[in-house]
Amino acid sequence: QVQLVESGGGLVQPGGSLRLSCAASGRAVTDYAMAWFRQAPGKERDFVAATRFDGGYANDKSTVKGRFTISTDSAKGTADLLLNNLNPEDTAVYSCSADESVSRVIRGRGAYWGQGTQVTVSS
């Protein structure tokens, strides 16, 4: 079993930044692929970025490339998502997911999910 807990969401003005963190605990979490997704009101959940703790894979959604950066800290068991230059269209619940398979996690089929953290971009 793997437990995931997100933190770091909140209200930010357009152009601002936030750092989201996903704390993973459980068996051999550093063997897992980690991904961030977001779901805006009335829309489907959308892939944002993914990586592996061993650094063997990294992928960012094209619409956030250059603004969002995913990183991991194996010692802490965390996968962070740095959000820069935020705009109102980035408002959503951001959730992290973990799975042994990269292909499953980037398709939203990860075995483990956190509860999500709300990001609101508004002036």
Side-chain angles (χ1 to χ4, degrees):
Q1 285 287 339
V2 174
Q3 293 79 42
L4 304 175
V5 178
E6 301 97 334
S7 62
L11 173 64
V12 63
Q13 292 186 343
S17 299
L18 281 175
R19 178 181 287 275
L20 308 182
S21 186
C22 176
S25 60
R27 295 180 56 190
V29 293
T30 54
D31 290 340
Y32 283 71
M34 305 292 293
W36 280 94
F37 289 78
R38 65 183 181 182
Q39 187 167 20
K43 295 186 177 181
E44 295 185 352
R45 187 170 59 196
D46 199 22
F47 170 77
V48 175
T51 190
R52 292 191 63 92
F53 274 103
D54 61 10
Y57 177 86
N59 187 19
D60 301 317
K61 183 179 175 64
S62 60
T63 55
V64 303
K65 195 177 292 293
R67 296 193 300 124
F68 295 1
T69 304
I70 189 170
S71 62
T72 57
D73 185 325
S74 296
K76 296 180 180 179
T78 56
D80 287 1
L81 186 68
L82 177 61
L83 316 176
N84 287 323
N85 194 22
L86 286 161
N87 59 62
E89 290 70 37
D90 296 317
T91 294
V93 175
Y94 286 71
S95 301
C96 66
S97 179
D99 198 281
E100 293 179 331
S101 165
V102 169
S103 62
R104 282 199 298 265
V105 79
I106 66 174
R107 289 172 173 79
R109 297 174 182 173
Y112 306 102
W113 290 84
Q115 293 297 312
T117 185
Q118 176 70 47
V119 171
T120 302
V121 185
S122 175
S123 56

